[in-house]
Amino acid sequence: MNLTILGCYAATPRSLTNPTSQVLEIRNRMFLIDCGEGTQVQLRKNKIRFSKINHVFISHLHGDHFYGLIGLVSTYALLNRQADLHIHAPKGAKEIILLQLRLSNSWTGYNLYFHEIEGDLPQVVFEDEKVIVTTIPLQHRIYTNGFLFREKEGSRKLNIEAVQKYNIDTCYYQKIKNGSDITLDDGRVIPNSELTFDPLPPKSYAFCSDTMYKEDIVPLIKDVDVLYHESTFLDSEEHYCERTMHCTAKQAAKIARLANAGHLILGHYSTRYDDIEKFREEASGVFKNVHLADDGKVFDFN
Amino acid sequence: MNLTILGCYAATPRSLTNPTSQVLEIRNRMFLIDCGEGTQVQLRKNKIRFSKINHVFISHLHGDHFYGLIGLVSTYALLNRQADLHIHAPKGAKEIILLQLRLSNSWTGYNLYFHEIEGDLPQVVFEDEKVIVTTIPLQHRIYTNGFLFREKEGSRKLNIEAVQKYNIDTCYYQKIKNGSDITLDDGRVIPNSELTFDPLPPKSYAFCSDTMYKEDIVPLIKDVDVLYHESTFLDSEEHYCERTMHCTAKQAAKIARLANAGHLILGHYSTRYDDIEKFREEASGVFKNVHLADDGKVFDFN
């Protein structure tokens, strides 16, 4: 699992900083999370093979998380994309995107599916045999969800030395990986535990932006491996949090501590700050493993 | 009068090239022409004082000319803009912008006026005491207009030496600049021609993108000082022009020649070409004063 930060600054795109967008690679799936203006250029600059993205998750419809989506959808059409594209976004996203496609008479040659999100309870928005994605209801000025990405338990790893020792035919390998014992021609039963290793523990990633301090989310992200949590302000601007419905670095760290997260990545910095290192300093007083998101940075979770 | 090219490439924004947008400074007015994705960042990178822009002219609602507008409108709101903003754009632009503002619950603190353009005849879309802007109906895959920006005849220039020689009081200066003769206390009448110089000849700029080859526009832009005309293709791809409704460099040059333009600026290059110098070469066979637009380039018309 790895995470590429395409943009992690609040409010407006600027010459050297970009609004929120991330690419999460998880079990060979490539997910785009949020899509501020300029995301398609950031995908190119970061050399992401963005034709591989089949699912886009949008937290909320504020511009710095969403205004790049129509451009990406259009560019896929111009590049003659054929694969389906799924957009998981708050209700309203479909109307915005389709209105623009209609008025520009620019339809997509690929199937574009909207999965609009409503409701205030956590819900599964994506699931296949390897990954499950659940919403994390957040508290912001408009309807907003974070997303929890969890790998499913993988199949067991073959112990090649052991299967070769017993001269087991390759046609049984998948059965063994699925957990079966094997009966040899001479009648001996070899227990699965002798033929396999435990699978790697499944990893999880929680994306929480934008939100005010909200302890309700702690049970939803309990023991998450990596938590990205917005930290728009430093302590000195904490008084802005209530009105703008954002968090400080310390508040983000408190959520990480309560949730027993493995690592905390901070982002969504207000553009009033020149030095983001101070976010790390303030959060580190509350939680140990603090990392700073920055545009172009890649986090490898393995 | 000067023109800053923020972007001049067709179709999709890329790492090093931007879709169409320009800033025209004319008689101390600053006009934004088209607004592809990333325009607000290009305004910053080119150090344009974009709070000075009060009028935006949109040729058509294809993404590479329009998708940056919602971001600019929102950024003005975040920057606490107070001045009115006028958007001159094809019908539909208002619905797109307002829908997005409504769904993000992000209203502007300034007055946002939409002047939607319809109809296939040239029409005045802006006029004040110094400048007049007229549409140039173009022929593209969706409803599209170019824009003709014309300075009005300025007032006459005061001949300071002459007015001082006759000891004329400063309170008469505006009257003289407006063209009046002056009667001195001794009864002598001094003709205006002795007290003033001719004003600078008014300049004009025509923006024509996107369009297929359309000779109808020639009378509308006759004798224009500077013509920006799209040239999406080179001769080798001329066969794409009919289907995509774009022009070659030679076709753009032919329009410039027929219109007796002073200068021709080419742009809206297809991103299939690595070397835009060939556009100049091909156009120069047809028309003399050919210039190449490029992102960040400034043209001074004086």
Side-chain angles (χ1 to χ4, degrees), chain A residues 116-130:
Chain A
E116 292 199 321
I117 306 172
E118 295 180 88
D120 293 326
L121 294 176
Q123 56 193 288
V124 173
V125 286
F126 173 87
E127 181 169 14
D128 68 8
E129 70 281 14
K130 295 195 172 174

Side-chain angles (χ1 to χ4, degrees), chain A residues 15-43:
Chain A
S15 299
L16 298 174
T17 65
N18 295 278
T20 301
S21 187
Q22 316 184 339
V23 175
L24 180 70
E25 280 196 73
I26 174 171
R27 289 268 165 91
N28 292 318
R29 281 121 186 91
M30 194 181 268
F31 294 142
L32 184 68
I33 308 169
D34 280 352
C35 191
E37 184 176 350
T39 292
Q40 61 174 314
V41 171
Q42 282 295 92
L43 286 165

